Amino acid sequence: MTELMKMGDFAPHLNTKFVMHLGESETRELELTDARQITLTDEQDEFALLFLGPDDSPPAQGIYKLSHEAMGSLEIFLVPIRKDQNGVTYEAVFNLLPKEFQS
């Protein structure tokens, strides 16, 4: 997808699987576990997503290619925020400005 993603694009896919691509052939399966609106005004649309991956998911923040059966291929900046008995949790925060502020 090339257009800016919005909260409504992700919300229907809560608790579904995304594939995180790590190079040419290595992947991890992530689950979208939370999608929450932070701010929604005429000036700002900010939301956050949480993904849960297996224990051996990379502990580094960065832009990762994710693919999803319904959403297609996405590149998202993911930040690992915790590792526990469930695996590695990543957060992605989106902060969208109105079109008149975008170049």
Side-chain angles (χ1 to χ4, degrees):
M1 298 184 97
T2 57
E3 72 262 7
L4 293 176
M5 303 300 292
K6 299 203 181 223
M7 173 74 174
D9 296 319
F10 289 97
H13 306 293
L14 195 59
N15 302 313
T16 65
K17 305 296 184 187
F18 288 73
V19 176
M20 171 192 257
H21 298 270
L22 306 170
E24 294 295 315
S25 61
E26 192 177 355
T27 62
R28 298 291 183 278
E29 189 174 80
L30 305 182
E31 180 177 348
L32 179 60
T33 60
D34 190 24
R36 63 185 171 2
Q37 192 75 51
I38 298 170
T39 304
L40 182 58
T41 66
D42 290 341
E43 292 81 34
Q44 185 179 20
D45 180 1
E46 184 179 12
F47 63 95
L49 306 174
L50 293 181
F51 294 90
L52 179 62
D55 282 346
D56 63 347
S57 298
Q61 69 180 21
I63 298 173
Y64 291 96
K65 179 182 175 186
L66 302 182
S67 55
H68 184 268
E69 184 178 282
M71 296 184 73
S73 182
L74 315 161
E75 289 191 0
I76 298 180
F77 187 78
L78 297 175
V79 177
I81 58 169
R82 85 177 144 268
K83 182 175 181 178
D84 58 23
Q85 70 277 6
N86 297 316
V88 178
T89 300
Y90 295 93
E91 182 177 46
V93 176
F94 295 78
N95 189 19
L96 308 175
L97 298 174
K99 288 190 187 291
E100 60 265 21
F101 294 116
Q102 298 173 18
S103 50

